[in-house]
Amino acid sequence: MSTGTDSGVKVEIHAPDRADEIRDAALTLFAELGYRATTMRAIGQRIGLRGPSLYAHVVSKHDLLVEIMVRTMDDLLAGYRAMSRESDDVVDQLRLVTEAHVRYHARHQREAFVGNREVRSLEPHAQKVVVGKRDEYQREFVALIQRGARQDRFRVQTPKMAAFAVLGMGIEVASWFRDSGPIREDAIVRQYGEFALRLVAAQ
Amino acid sequence: MSTGTDSGVKVEIHAPDRADEIRDAALTLFAELGYRATTMRAIGQRIGLRGPSLYAHVVSKHDLLVEIMVRTMDDLLAGYRAMSRESDDVVDQLRLVTEAHVRYHARHQREAFVGNREVRSLEPHAQKVVVGKRDEYQREFVALIQRGARQDRFRVQTPKMAAFAVLGMGIEVASWFRDSGPIREDAIVRQYGEFALRLVAAQ
DNA sequence: CCTACCGATCGGTAGG
DNA sequence: CCTACCGATCGGTAGG
């Protein structure tokens, strides 16, 4: 066991066991084909197992989706909190949390794609949990922009709309960013941080 | 037959026949459940038919998806072109095409959701056609922002990133806008048009 | 971790 | 536009 950084957040790194391998294979296929179109057989095939063998390590296909989506939202929330603690200045905070948001979506495209596409594939209870976390994440951005507006550092009429615009442009990075493309991850992250400040007309 | 306006574009309005009814029911279910999870029986049920009866009006389930997605991209492209013809000023143009983009995503949430979620459910040929149209739409925004940058009306380092940011924030409107919510469609449309100009630091 | 297999679902066709 | 039905797929279990 050791610790590493990802989006600036300390995360546990441990030797990947079978369950982790399965989750990773599932994530790849859920992103490529969609949850419904992915079969347990295909997930097994990616790691040299037969479909039924997976059930020694995971509860069900649905449970794989839940674990993936809960982890995604927890990582985003942890990234937000870590970054907002880095500064007391609301302008810096908005830049930092936007950068973390965009970096996550550039680096974790599979998670972002599945998270946005498969919410409706979750059973009602799991959906409530995941949507709750997503709403919490969104509310953090809204509250931050409201704070900035109250301090007269941001010029926005509706903090909610500005927050959703910042979140939305960042989410879409997951759909077009390619590691092999001409635009570097750091360039995107910095540029979108700047875009966020422009959006709220930061003073 | 008569004509109406939608996103400022003249579109043919005709008495909806069975095929239109089926497409609309399919669109609703594709958006709610996803393409794979939607059955022909369920589509039929929404309009009082049995599953097999649909085949008198449509070729296949896949063909329904193709028709829906091609129409979506054609409507977006037509909206873009209609709006960009409304002005010679690049600042006005960016505001107008962003407004049309956002209005489409506020009004056609089902189409937007399916369009973004189900590209990978298309057969290779159909996927090439739809992705081609989407790329064309994106290139229009990039070219417009490049033009504005050359005229020194926009201050952007990478027109492509600014274009994708504008497109992305608008696309996400389809995920959170609710007709019954506190924010009115016109308010969103105007605000996002303004956001686009702020993003490119329009002079 | 495997093979064999069950039960259910579903797109599409046959034949009226 | 319907009922009856085929052929294929798939999540998950049994039993080793």
Side-chain angles (χ1 to χ4, degrees):
Chain A
M1 291 245 192
S2 65
T3 57
T5 68
D6 185 354
S7 305
V9 187
K10 298 278 175 184
V11 291
E12 295 296 318
I13 308 278
H14 53 280
D17 59 4
R18 273 292 195 222
D20 289 325
E21 276 187 82
I22 294 170
R23 252 192 307 275
D24 189 71
L27 176 55
T28 297
L29 290 172
F30 290 170
E32 266 173 31
L33 311 171
Y35 173 72
R36 283 289 291 237
T38 298
T39 68
M40 293 300 274
R41 284 153 181 79
I43 295 171
Q45 202 173 18
R46 282 189 71 91
I47 56 173
L49 295 184
R50 304 288 176 174
S53 304
L54 304 180
Y55 290 91
H57 307 283
V58 303
V59 175
S60 67
K61 186 183 164 190
H62 180 260
D63 194 64
L64 279 171
L65 182 61
V66 175
E67 285 185 12
I68 287 168
M69 295 191 69
V70 167
R71 187 170 301 196
T72 297
M73 289 318 308
D74 285 345
D75 286 348
L76 279 168
L77 268 164
Y80 182 96
R81 280 161 189 162
M83 284 304 110
S84 71
R85 262 184 266 110
E86 291 288 310
S87 171
D88 290 329
D89 182 87
V90 77
V91 173
D92 283 341
Q93 282 178 330
L94 180 59
R95 191 199 343 259
L96 288 166
V97 299
T98 302
E99 285 180 353
H101 176 70
V102 169
R103 195 179 294 281
Y104 184 90
H105 284 82
R107 258 184 218 182
H108 303 274
Q109 302 188 22
R110 295 174 308 167
E111 286 86 342
F113 203 73
V114 172
N116 286 308
R117 171 184 165 136
E118 303 293 358
V119 197
R120 288 170 167 83
S121 300
L122 293 168
E123 307 279 1
H125 173 71
Q127 189 171 122
K128 221 182 86 177
V129 171
V130 170
V131 170
K133 286 172 185 289
R134 190 196 61 189
D135 289 349
E136 197 182 338
Y137 183 64
Q138 293 172 339
R139 275 196 304 270
E140 293 278 16
F141 276 83
V142 176
L144 173 57
I145 292 180
Q146 268 169 341
R147 210 157 53 242
R150 243 180 283 117
Q151 295 173 15
D152 269 325
R153 305 291 304 279
F154 300 158
R155 303 246 180 271
V156 286
Q157 286 171 14
T158 350
K160 187 182 158 179
M161 261 198 268
F164 277 77
V166 169
L167 287 165
M169 73 185 185
I171 286 168
E172 287 298 314
V173 167
S175 316
W176 63 264
F177 175 64
R178 294 291 159 250
D179 231 342
S180 53
I183 305 180
R184 297 267 292 280
E185 180 186 301
D186 282 338
I188 293 180
V189 166
R190 248 195 311 269
Q191 178 67 87
Y192 274 69
E194 183 63 30
F195 283 160
L197 301 190
R198 286 185 176 189
L199 260 187
V200 300
Q203 313 289 310
Chain B
M1 291 245 191
S2 65
T3 56
T5 68
D6 185 355
S7 304
V9 188
K10 298 277 177 185
V11 291
E12 296 296 318
I13 307 277
H14 53 278
D17 59 5
R18 271 293 195 222
D20 288 326
E21 275 187 82
I22 294 170
R23 252 193 307 276
D24 189 71
L27 176 55
T28 297
L29 290 171
F30 289 169
E32 265 173 31
L33 311 170
Y35 173 71
R36 283 289 290 237
T38 298
T39 68
M40 293 299 274
R41 284 153 181 80
I43 295 171
Q45 201 173 19
R46 282 189 71 91
I47 56 172
L49 295 183
R50 304 288 176 174
S53 304
L54 303 180
Y55 290 90
H57 307 283
V58 304
V59 175
S60 67
K61 186 183 163 188
H62 181 260
D63 193 65
L64 278 171
L65 182 61
V66 174
E67 286 186 11
I68 288 168
M69 295 190 68
V70 167
R71 186 169 302 197
T72 296
M73 289 318 308
D74 285 344
D75 286 348
L76 279 168
L77 268 164
Y80 183 96
R81 281 162 188 160
M83 284 304 108
S84 71
R85 263 184 264 109
E86 292 287 310
S87 171
D88 289 331
D89 181 86
V90 77
V91 173
D92 283 341
Q93 281 178 331
L94 180 59
R95 193 201 337 258
L96 288 167
V97 299
T98 301
E99 286 180 352
H101 176 71
V102 168
R103 196 179 295 281
Y104 185 89
H105 284 82
R107 257 183 219 182
H108 302 274
Q109 301 188 23
R110 294 175 307 168
E111 286 86 343
F113 203 74
V114 173
N116 286 306
R117 171 184 166 134
E118 303 292 358
V119 198
R120 287 168 167 85
S121 300
L122 293 168
E123 307 279 1
H125 173 70
Q127 190 171 122
K128 222 182 86 178
V129 171
V130 170
V131 170
K133 287 172 186 288
R134 192 196 59 190
D135 290 349
E136 197 182 337
Y137 183 64
Q138 293 172 339
R139 276 197 303 272
E140 294 277 15
F141 276 83
V142 176
L144 171 58
I145 292 179
Q146 268 168 341
R147 208 154 58 240
R150 241 180 283 117
Q151 295 174 16
D152 268 325
R153 304 292 304 280
F154 300 157
R155 303 247 181 269
V156 287
Q157 287 172 15
T158 350
K160 187 182 159 180
M161 260 198 268
F164 278 76
V166 169
L167 287 165
M169 72 186 186
I171 287 167
E172 288 298 315
V173 167
S175 316
W176 63 264
F177 175 63
R178 293 293 158 250
D179 230 343
S180 55
I183 305 180
R184 296 267 292 280
E185 181 187 300
D186 282 338
I188 293 180
V189 165
R190 249 196 309 271
Q191 179 67 85
Y192 274 69
E194 183 63 30
F195 283 160
L197 300 190
R198 286 185 176 189
L199 261 186
V200 299
Q203 312 289 308

